[in-house]
Amino acid sequence: MVVPLRWPAEAVWEAVYPALPDASVEILPELDSTNTELMRRARAGRLEPVLLVAERQTAGRGRLGREWLSTAGDSLTFSLGIALSPPSWSGLSLAVGVSVAESLHKDLKLKWPNDLWLVGAGGDRKLGGILIETACVGEQRYAVIGVGINVAARDGAGLATPPACLHELDAGLDAPQALLRIAPALVQTVLAFGQFGFAPFQARFNARDALRDRAVRVSDGHGGVLEGTAHGVGEDGALLVHTALGMKQITSSEVSVRPQADAHWASGAASGKAA
Ligand code: BTN
């Protein structure tokens, strides 16, 4: 028997209200994608702050045009839509990652620019990811911050990075409780980013950096490859890579960064699928 999820919509709204009194919290049983829905609304001129959760996505999207597969109940999929005007937009996905990781578990790591990883003896495994899109409407820019978290174990076939899930860290946590843990701090984070940009999050990202001091390969998907050692992120969120030609700053989010010894890299790139 499938037990229906009980979503703490009111508790989330109450926690978010002091920082964002005009925000709404919507929980829907099914959507194509929470990001797609909020981008549609923004293009139609609806720029109000909203936290939109879908129990099931039929066309979930990940970075680099990949699909994001999830099963109702076994994952948490939501987007926060909010109009922002930060001093600089660079580093938003990193700040979001810091917030989500800190809300969930001390051992969660961040893999530049947008993945939540568990790193252990079994290798690197992906627990979740972040997809940020923006829409310009008149003078305003509306950010759609999508977060996907594996709550229960999932099939890793075809994924570039094997999956991890929240139940490994806390067997009692379900998707609604995870949302309640994540959402209030995420709203605070995004508002702070809107005021100060990424700088206040730099040290916190670096403390959880999964790539720190590891050999990495950066690929732009068009044959351009850069190899070196990862050295954390700068104050604008750029990934610093020490190469034979000196320190390079990687700013484009349209690249794939993998630890060099990652046996999954070649097959993942070839299949074009993401965890
Ligand atoms: C990635 O790792 O490539 C990013 C994955 C982001 C998935 C989330 S699930 C909620 C929101 N809606 C989507 O279609 N994608 C994001």
Side-chain angles (χ1 to χ4, degrees), residues 134-264:
T134 64
C136 288
V137 181
E139 298 285 285
Q140 285 191 289
R141 196 156 164 198
Y142 190 77
V144 174
I145 298 160
V147 178
I149 307 274
N150 303 326
V151 175
R154 57 176 286 182
D155 182 11
L159 299 180
T161 308
C165 71
L166 268 187
H167 282 171
E168 297 175 44
L169 300 172
D170 183 344
L173 212 53
D174 61 6
Q177 290 308 313
L179 177 72
L180 190 53
R181 282 237 203 132
I182 294 169
L186 178 60
V187 167
Q188 298 282 358
T189 292
V190 171
L191 292 175
F193 183 90
Q195 219 178 336
F196 306 112
F198 178 67
F201 300 96
Q202 179 188 8
R204 285 155 68 189
F205 183 95
N206 283 333
R208 288 182 182 258
D209 183 1
L211 300 177
R212 183 97 203 177
D213 297 330
R214 292 174 70 178
V216 294
R217 170 189 288 247
V218 183
S219 156
D220 66 7
H222 305 288
V225 170
L226 182 145
E227 291 180 342
T229 305
H231 276 274
V233 298
E235 65 177 22
D236 58 353
L239 178 67
L240 306 176
V241 181
H242 189 221
T243 73
L245 298 174
M247 197 67 89
K248 301 281 178 200
Q249 298 195 18
I250 313 297
T251 52
S252 168
S253 57
E254 297 300 304
V255 295
S256 167
V257 182
R258 310 295 307 180
Q260 286 242 48
D262 189 341
H264 298 275

Side-chain angles (χ1 to χ4, degrees), residues 44-177:
R46 294 177 55 187
L47 302 185
E48 61 273 9
V50 56
L51 186 78
L52 178 63
V53 182
E55 283 193 346
R56 200 173 101 82
Q57 294 191 128
T58 54
R61 296 185 288 111
R63 264 181 80 234
L64 306 171
R66 294 159 172 160
E67 59 183 346
W68 179 263
L69 299 174
S70 55
T71 314
D74 287 349
S75 58
L76 172 63
T77 49
F78 72 93
S79 301
L80 172 66
I82 186 168
L84 284 182
S85 48
S88 159
W89 284 87
S90 60
L92 177 55
S93 74
L94 283 65
V96 169
V98 166
S99 178
V100 175
E102 288 179 352
S103 296
L104 288 176
H105 201 273
K106 63 178 177 36
D107 295 338
L108 262 181
K109 301 283 185 209
L110 296 165
K111 190 275 203 161
W112 191 95
N114 75 327
D115 285 0
L116 294 146
W117 274 15
L118 271 182
V119 178
D124 305 315
R125 291 180 306 126
K126 179 165 171 171
L127 185 125
I130 294 153
L131 175 67
I132 298 190
E133 300 174 290
T134 64
C136 288
V137 181
E139 298 285 285
Q140 285 191 289
R141 196 156 164 198
Y142 190 77
V144 174
I145 298 160
V147 178
I149 307 274
N150 303 326
V151 175
R154 57 176 286 182
D155 182 11
L159 299 180
T161 308
C165 71
L166 268 187
H167 282 171
E168 297 175 44
L169 300 172
D170 183 344
L173 212 53
D174 61 6
Q177 290 308 313

